[in-house]
Amino acid sequence: MIKGLEIEEKTRFDDLVTNLDKATQELLITKIKQAYPSDHILAEENSVHHDIADGNVWVLDPIDGTVNFVAQGTHFAVMIAYYENGVGQFGLIYDVMNDTLYSGGGQFDVYMNDQKLPPFQDRPLNRFLVGCNANMFANNYHGLRDMIEQTLGVRVYGGAGISMAAVMAGQLMAYFSYIQPWDYAAAKVMGDKLGYVLLTIDGEEPDFTHRQKVMFVPKAKLSTIQTYLSQT
Amino acid sequence: MIKGLEIEEKTRFDDLVTNLDKATQELLITKIKQAYPSDHILAEENSVHHDIADGNVWVLDPIDGTVNFVAQGTHFAVMIAYYENGVGQFGLIYDVMNDTLYSGGGQFDVYMNDQKLPPFQDRPLNRFLVGCNANMFANNYHGLRDMIEQTLGVRVYGGAGISMAAVMAGQLMAYFSYIQPWDYAAAKVMGDKLGYVLLTIDGEEPDFTHRQKVMFVPKAKLSTIQTYLSQT
């Protein structure tokens, strides 16, 4: 455990926030407001929830994977995305302990530190691993477990940021979870540039207003995946 | 995918072996036999299965986490353990891509590279994460999912070596899976030194002869865990 860390439970014992989540968010907001005083913020902590469709909006997740942060001291990320009138301009996912920054989207190529990431490389379903929320897998939500059983298997890493970074790095084919706008905003912008799409499990655009069950999947595999998800 | 990699399916499409698994095992055996010509080998590939109870036995897993190796190019390990007449003398788990070597057990302290690992630090169940085989979790095998729902959650990393290394590093409380002797031999020796025990789910010593459902758990949490596992 990290010395000086203050842990609070939000909705239940495994929904945690720490003083460092809040301090990191405040630092990011202060720096953004200094540079761009009229821009807006949509962020995880303290109910700072500006409408994504209205003007210049910075979407912030100060510590994504707070449970990993608290219990492991690793496998967490800082995530930032910038949208203009609802259109993503770029995203950033920083895997802190591995010192790896994923950046790009919009008019920018996507990089993992200094290495430009290639677009999705297709191969058969049974040569891929898939990242998934553990309960959605275990409950076979919309046939997810049936679909994953056609692949090499499931991985559960416990943070949307590091999981979607693993998708973009080609380590996972796709990622399925039940997450908030600040959990998917950055990956959605970057992924679009690499051949991935971020949609709800029902195939709709996410709404950027509340927690939804979403998938981050290669466009080239979307129809295959949807044949499994059509189960209820 | 790695260039020049030859992938074969063993028992089914997600049970893989590559030319590098076999070449690594041959290299290890050659080096061991040069130094200790009369010692014996218990290893994953090519049915080299000497009885663990008979003399000086090296237990080898040339690439643990072959699926991760093939599909991710990371999250795999080389594992070596040395036993004398069934008694573990030391173990080695090398997380290749992170260049992290876990070593020790028997008369040796346990190190993560140059850093001596502390023994298990107890805290409440709901402040820990747990590593588990995905299907054992999803099927609530012996009440495992019920137990894990009392913790901060499950993680599925897909390699016994990196998962048990994460236990010893304090990132996971425990690990539950269905694995072979070469998957648990090294962690069993090292873990004993740090306050962990490697037992079958039924609480018996593993037999070192075939695949078994095992747990790698803190001795201080064993009775708590067993109250959940007594469910069938």
Side-chain angles (χ1 to χ4, degrees):
Chain A
M1 306 293 263
I2 300 154
K3 286 202 177 63
L5 193 65
E6 296 159 22
I7 303 168
E8 288 172 45
E9 297 174 6
K10 292 199 283 192
T11 57
R12 40 172 276 164
F13 80 91
D14 58 355
D15 181 19
L16 302 176
V17 62
T18 76
N19 53 324
L20 289 182
D21 293 75
K22 294 176 182 177
T24 303
Q25 180 170 310
E26 286 313 303
L27 175 69
L28 292 173
I29 292 176
T30 300
K31 295 290 182 184
I32 290 165
K33 287 289 193 179
Q34 280 171 2
Y36 309 102
S38 63
D39 283 8
H40 306 287
I41 308 290
L42 169 57
E44 178 167 21
E45 311 303 339
N46 300 326
S47 302
V48 184
H49 292 171
H50 192 83
D51 178 3
I52 191 75
D54 174 35
N56 300 349
V57 183
W58 297 76
V59 188
L60 308 179
D61 191 345
I63 301 182
D64 178 69
T66 300
V67 166
N68 286 351
F69 173 66
V70 167
Q72 304 195 302
T74 187
H75 303 142
F76 60 92
V78 178
M79 297 203 283
I80 300 175
Y82 175 65
Y83 282 65
E84 290 180 353
N85 300 316
V87 181
Q89 305 298 316
F90 65 83
L92 303 168
I93 300 177
Y94 181 50
D95 177 343
V96 177
M97 301 310 288
N98 286 313
D99 193 22
T100 304
L101 178 66
Y102 299 80
S103 66
Q107 62 181 294
F108 307 104
D109 287 326
V110 180
Y111 282 80
M112 182 175 67
N113 287 340
D114 296 332
Q115 182 189 338
K116 186 177 162 180
L117 288 176
F120 174 72
Q121 310 284 314
D122 206 1
R123 44 187 208 261
L125 214 55
N126 69 4
R127 282 293 176 266
F128 279 112
L129 289 163
V130 173
C132 192
N133 170 289
N135 285 320
M136 287 166 65
F137 172 78
N139 298 337
N140 196 24
Y141 180 80
H142 276 253
L144 260 178
R145 187 174 173 189
D146 297 336
M147 188 275 286
I148 290 171
E149 282 174 356
Q150 307 306 310
T151 73
L152 284 172
V154 70
R155 295 293 176 264
V156 180
Y157 296 145
I162 61 161
S163 298
M164 293 194 280
V167 171
M168 293 190 289
Q171 296 178 10
L172 300 173
M173 179 183 76
Y175 175 67
F176 300 83
S177 195
Y178 180 41
I179 55 179
Q180 297 276 8
W182 40 86
D183 294 318
Y184 58 72
K188 181 172 166 56
V189 189
M190 283 189 275
D192 182 62
K193 199 85 182 183
L194 296 172
Y196 298 92
V197 65
L198 187 299
L199 297 171
T200 69
I201 299 285
D202 300 324
E204 307 291 326
E205 287 289 323
D207 65 11
F208 285 88
T209 65
H210 69 295
R211 196 175 180 200
Q212 292 181 288
K213 296 199 172 73
V214 302
M215 56 183 174
F216 185 54
V217 302
K219 292 168 193 167
K221 282 279 191 272
L222 181 60
S223 65
T224 303
I225 289 168
Q226 284 181 322
T227 60
Y228 288 94
L229 297 186
S230 59
Q231 300 174 54
T232 51
Chain B
M1 306 292 263
I2 301 154
K3 286 202 177 63
L5 193 65
E6 297 159 22
I7 303 168
E8 287 173 47
E9 297 174 6
K10 292 199 283 191
T11 57
R12 40 171 277 164
F13 80 90
D14 58 355
D15 181 18
L16 302 176
V17 63
T18 76
N19 53 324
L20 289 181
D21 294 75
K22 294 175 182 176
T24 303
Q25 179 170 312
E26 286 313 304
L27 175 69
L28 292 172
I29 291 176
T30 300
K31 295 290 183 185
I32 290 166
K33 288 287 193 180
Q34 279 172 0
Y36 309 103
S38 63
D39 283 8
H40 306 287
I41 308 289
L42 169 58
E44 177 167 22
E45 311 303 338
N46 300 326
S47 302
V48 184
H49 292 172
H50 192 83
D51 177 2
I52 191 75
D54 174 35
N56 301 348
V57 183
W58 296 77
V59 188
L60 309 179
D61 192 345
I63 301 182
D64 178 70
T66 300
V67 166
N68 286 350
F69 173 65
V70 167
Q72 305 195 302
T74 186
H75 303 143
F76 60 91
V78 178
M79 297 202 284
I80 301 176
Y82 175 65
Y83 282 67
E84 289 180 354
N85 300 314
V87 180
Q89 306 296 317
F90 65 83
L92 303 169
I93 299 177
Y94 181 50
D95 177 343
V96 177
M97 301 309 288
N98 286 312
D99 192 22
T100 303
L101 177 66
Y102 299 80
S103 65
Q107 63 181 292
F108 307 104
D109 287 326
V110 180
Y111 281 81
M112 180 174 68
N113 287 341
D114 295 334
Q115 181 190 338
K116 186 176 162 182
L117 288 176
F120 174 71
Q121 310 284 316
D122 206 1
R123 43 188 209 261
L125 214 55
N126 69 5
R127 282 293 175 268
F128 279 111
L129 289 163
V130 173
C132 192
N133 171 288
N135 285 321
M136 287 166 65
F137 172 77
N139 298 337
N140 196 24
Y141 180 80
H142 276 253
L144 260 179
R145 188 174 172 189
D146 297 336
M147 188 275 286
I148 290 171
E149 282 174 355
Q150 307 306 312
T151 73
L152 285 172
V154 71
R155 296 293 176 265
V156 180
Y157 296 144
I162 61 161
S163 298
M164 293 194 281
V167 172
M168 293 191 289
Q171 295 177 11
L172 300 173
M173 179 183 76
Y175 175 66
F176 299 83
S177 195
Y178 180 40
I179 55 180
Q180 297 277 7
W182 40 86
D183 294 318
Y184 58 71
K188 180 172 165 60
V189 189
M190 283 189 275
D192 182 62
K193 199 83 181 183
L194 296 173
Y196 298 92
V197 64
L198 188 300
L199 297 171
T200 68
I201 299 284
D202 300 324
E204 307 292 326
E205 287 290 323
D207 66 11
F208 285 88
T209 65
H210 69 295
R211 196 174 178 200
Q212 291 182 288
K213 295 199 173 73
V214 303
M215 55 183 173
F216 185 54
V217 301
K219 292 168 193 168
K221 282 279 191 272
L222 181 60
S223 65
T224 303
I225 289 169
Q226 284 182 321
T227 60
Y228 289 93
L229 297 186
S230 59
Q231 301 174 54
T232 51

